Amino acid sequence: MSDAFTTRTLSITTGHRETVHDLTEACAAFLDEVAAGRDGLLNVFTPHATTGVALMETGSGSDDDLLAALHALLPADDRWQHRHGTPGHGRDHVLPALVPPHATLPVVAGRLALGTWQSVCLVDTNKDNPDRTVRLSFLG
């Protein structure tokens, strides 16, 4: 494969609670290794039916605010047709329609071109599966 496209898979343990996991440092470390100062695009993708990728501020309560908003929009109760797993698990399968499982981000001179308070986050509301995969792909 050409140096213009490089991909790596991360293994993330999210635990048995809903979480917003910051991937920004892992993305930056990946780009430090592969981008060599080039401009390009970083694609972040999670191949799960119950996770998403969000760009958001973290560490100021926004993580909990997002999870609270998702609870308001997608209550963890018995209204869902999809019924295996923990009660309300069907909501986890609707999550990727609201928080997509991917993001494509600009890379300038080998670094993520994020806004001041933006972080790249894995959003996981599925308490049944603590082991997650995230694929990082750089094209540049």
Side-chain angles (χ1 to χ4, degrees), residues 4-52:
F5 181 81
T6 308
T7 191
R8 175 166 303 143
T9 302
L10 306 174
S11 295
I12 308 289
T13 301
T14 57
H16 291 286
R17 63 183 187 85
E18 297 178 4
T19 190
V20 176
H21 182 89
D22 194 337
L23 299 170
T24 310
E25 286 185 25
C27 291
F30 172 67
L31 291 172
D32 283 346
E33 291 178 32
V34 303
R38 296 189 312 259
D39 292 352
L41 296 171
L42 175 68
N43 183 264
V44 182
F45 174 72
T46 178
H48 301 284
T50 59
T51 59

Side-chain angles (χ1 to χ4, degrees), residues 16-130:
H16 291 286
R17 63 183 187 85
E18 297 178 4
T19 190
V20 176
H21 182 89
D22 194 337
L23 299 170
T24 310
E25 286 185 25
C27 291
F30 172 67
L31 291 172
D32 283 346
E33 291 178 32
V34 303
R38 296 189 312 259
D39 292 352
L41 296 171
L42 175 68
N43 183 264
V44 182
F45 174 72
T46 178
H48 301 284
T50 59
T51 59
V53 176
L55 293 181
M56 61 182 291
E57 179 179 5
T58 58
S60 64
S62 298
D63 318 40
D64 291 334
D65 289 343
L66 174 60
L67 294 174
L70 290 172
H71 265 284
L73 291 169
L74 305 170
D77 58 23
D78 65 355
R79 74 184 68 200
W80 306 100
Q81 300 291 320
H82 187 108
R83 293 188 184 267
H84 76 84
T86 57
H89 175 64
R91 74 184 281 268
D92 301 327
H93 288 274
V94 177
L95 172 79
L98 301 176
V99 181
H102 60 87
T104 301
L105 309 167
V107 176
V108 177
R111 301 209 177 272
L112 279 174
L114 297 175
T116 302
W117 302 111
Q118 286 181 315
S119 295
V120 183
C121 299
L122 175 69
V123 179
D124 187 1
T125 60
N126 182 355
K127 297 183 263 184
D128 295 336
N129 184 357

